[in-house]
Amino acid sequence: MIICEVLDVTPYELLSGAEHTGNRSRDNNTYVISKETEIGMLVETYQKLDTNAQKRLIGYLEALKELS
């Protein structure tokens, strides 16, 4: 989910390569993803980290976002 937020895409767009078209709102705050996908694996791994490691990871992602 974090990757989707950073890239400003939906999980469907990320996994399928399809581009978002239409006028539907992108303000959805909830996604359903399968644990068997790479994104699901990332989320599950993130949840297993302690709070400090989660904060560091978010910091790394924000730094990567600034490089883009």
Side-chain angles (χ1 to χ4, degrees):
M1 296 312 304
I2 294 169
I3 292 172
C4 291
E5 289 176 24
V6 168
L7 297 175
D8 193 29
V9 297
T10 66
Y12 175 78
E13 292 170 312
L14 184 64
L15 296 173
S16 69
E19 291 187 31
H20 175 74
T21 58
N23 296 325
R24 289 180 32 167
S25 172
R26 294 189 61 161
D27 293 336
N28 188 356
N29 292 328
T30 306
Y31 295 104
V32 177
I33 57 173
S34 171
K35 288 183 178 182
E36 286 124 22
T37 64
E38 286 182 339
I39 303 247
M41 191 173 69
L42 286 170
V43 171
E44 195 166 356
T45 302
Y46 173 83
Q47 290 175 336
K48 290 178 183 177
L49 297 173
D50 64 45
T51 304
N52 288 331
Q54 288 176 348
K55 288 178 183 178
R56 281 197 330 261
L57 183 56
I58 296 296
Y60 295 149
L61 289 170
E62 293 196 6
L64 285 171
K65 186 169 59 172
E66 294 295 319
L67 294 174
S68 302

